Amino acid sequence: MAGRSVRTVRTALTGAVAVAALATGALVSPAAADSGTGTSHGTDHRGTQRAIEAAVRDGVPGVVAQARDRNGTWNGTAGVANLQTGRERLPQDRYRVGSITKTFVATVVLQLEAEGRLSLDDTVDHWLPGVVRGNGHDGRRITLRQLLNHTSGIYNYTEDQGFAEQVFGDGFFQHRYDTWTPRQLVGLAVGHEPYFAPGAGWHYSNTNFILAGMIVEKVTGRPYGSEIGRRILRPLSLHATSVPGTDPRMPRPSGRAYSKLSQDPKAKVHDVTELNPSVAGSAGEMVSDNADLQRFYRALLKGGLLPREQLWEMTTTVPMDPKDQDKRYGLGLMQIKTSCGKDVWGHGGGIHGSSSEALTTRDGSHSLAMNFNGDWSGDSWAVVEAEFCG
């Protein structure tokens, strides 16, 4: 997610998670920032370190960042992983990556296209007959490509008010361990009218990727998470990355995740680490760390996971806002132009108490992954700008 100005677009569960992200305020006693460490061999990451320290001063409990370029790997940390114990954040900390999950899902769909097992021009109804119907939604008119680039017009289930209150607001502690099925989440979406006719606009919708995960299962006969493991995680040796399903626990090492569950900047900070991630499913449930995310995006953009034709499809973008050509969306992949004119590719992700970025240049030569363990303050895009333009 970029700064607060675009965070509502780039957050994984953009509905009420963005509500917390848009709030401002600081913890009563934010932790002092640590100095950056690593093997950068002379590359200057001081601006990036200053940016993550600024996020902690703004109220984020702790930040962990890692950058890789031709000169080596740099790790930066600030603040704490645990407000109770004071344990500092570690470069190898794992965290919930939210909407970064979407790039993994899109990669699997494109691999299936390369194998001739589906087409991006297939309709949703071809694979999921009758699932997307009601209140103007019609899966017979929506293609898989439109799901993956958010031009389907399908309502975003996380914007449903009742769902948001139950999952992101006062109902969180009562419902944090509830299991949500993909059909339930899609049902929430089709209970509303679509944003526009298929292909007539752009609107970020988590429902699109819930459906994409369902289609992967329909095509392969296996859960989308199993396909991600078989096709991406094991071949790339992404040992810190997982698809937890309904398991509310976090693997070690990891810190805690914090949220105010409110727009009120004076609201209490809550530990929201444990939750049933089926609430995000194939739109945002995965867990990873900085090193794995960079390895994934670098391999993807350099052609290590997709044939040339499918990578071209993935990197063919549409504007997220017709008035702003600097922010564009491909198939589960964002293209953002920085202030210094560099294009970076990747995704942002936000879920309860966790806000992340994973980005790389198009040639894979310079990458960054980072995480805030709070979702109500801090400017993650300032960290991106410092790394790629500083």
Side-chain angles (χ1 to χ4, degrees), residues 107-338:
T107 300
V108 171
V109 173
L110 287 163
Q111 288 179 346
L112 291 170
E113 186 199 40
E115 295 163 10
R117 301 176 69 179
L118 57 74
S119 168
L120 292 177
D121 295 321
D122 290 342
T123 65
V124 173
D125 208 67
H126 174 79
W127 292 106
L128 304 173
V131 171
V132 181
R133 297 283 175 86
N135 293 301
H137 289 94
D138 188 349
R140 296 169 296 186
R141 300 174 56 210
I142 299 166
T143 67
L144 305 194
R145 179 182 283 104
Q146 290 167 339
L147 291 182
L148 298 183
N149 68 8
H150 294 298
T151 61
S152 71
I154 297 174
Y155 186 85
N156 180 8
Y157 74 90
T158 58
E159 294 180 17
D160 177 90
Q161 184 175 355
F163 175 88
E165 291 173 356
Q166 181 175 338
V167 171
F168 303 114
D170 293 338
F172 171 76
F173 291 104
Q174 180 181 353
H175 296 284
R176 69 193 301 175
Y177 299 118
D178 291 356
T179 293
W180 295 82
T181 68
R183 288 295 294 262
Q184 283 179 298
L185 300 177
V186 174
L188 286 171
V190 299
H192 299 263
E193 294 182 357
Y195 299 112
F196 44 77
W202 190 91
H203 191 100
Y204 192 93
S205 176
N206 291 293
T207 315
N208 289 325
F209 277 79
I210 296 296
L211 290 163
M214 294 170 71
I215 290 168
V216 168
E217 182 167 357
K218 188 67 174 288
V219 173
T220 66
R222 290 179 290 271
Y224 90 93
S226 297
E227 289 298 301
I228 286 177
R230 186 171 72 88
R231 294 167 174 271
I232 301 173
L233 306 188
R234 287 193 286 277
L236 293 182
S237 297
L238 303 182
H239 301 301
T241 305
S242 59
V243 185
T246 60
D247 189 343
R249 300 167 298 178
M250 282 292 294
R252 296 181 179 179
S254 62
R256 310 301 292 176
Y258 299 98
S259 178
K260 293 191 176 183
L261 300 173
S262 171
Q263 286 181 293
D264 182 359
K266 298 181 181 179
K268 179 182 176 181
V269 173
H270 301 279
D271 186 323
V272 295
T273 307
E274 289 196 357
L275 59 89
N276 185 327
S278 64
V279 70
S282 50
E285 73 168 279
M286 291 180 68
V287 171
S288 191
D289 72 357
N290 285 337
D292 272 14
L293 290 179
Q294 289 180 94
R295 190 177 305 125
F296 167 64
Y297 278 107
R298 290 164 75 103
L300 177 64
L301 271 296
K302 292 168 75 172
L305 291 170
L306 294 174
R308 181 175 299 179
E309 179 180 349
Q310 278 68 40
L311 185 56
W312 180 85
E313 292 273 15
M314 178 176 260
T315 55
T316 298
T317 61
V318 296
M320 292 190 271
D321 180 345
K323 298 179 181 179
D324 185 357
Q325 295 297 315
D326 289 344
K327 302 177 183 68
R328 302 180 65 87
Y329 205 95
L331 303 183
L333 188 70
M334 293 180 177
Q335 177 189 15
I336 310 290
K337 188 177 292 294
T338 62

Side-chain angles (χ1 to χ4, degrees), residues 23-54:
T24 59
L27 298 176
V28 175
S29 53
D34 300 327
S35 60
T37 61
T39 54
S40 59
H41 303 296
T43 300
D44 187 356
H45 299 279
R46 287 177 295 180
T48 313
Q49 180 64 35
R50 287 194 295 269
I52 67 176
E53 291 171 359

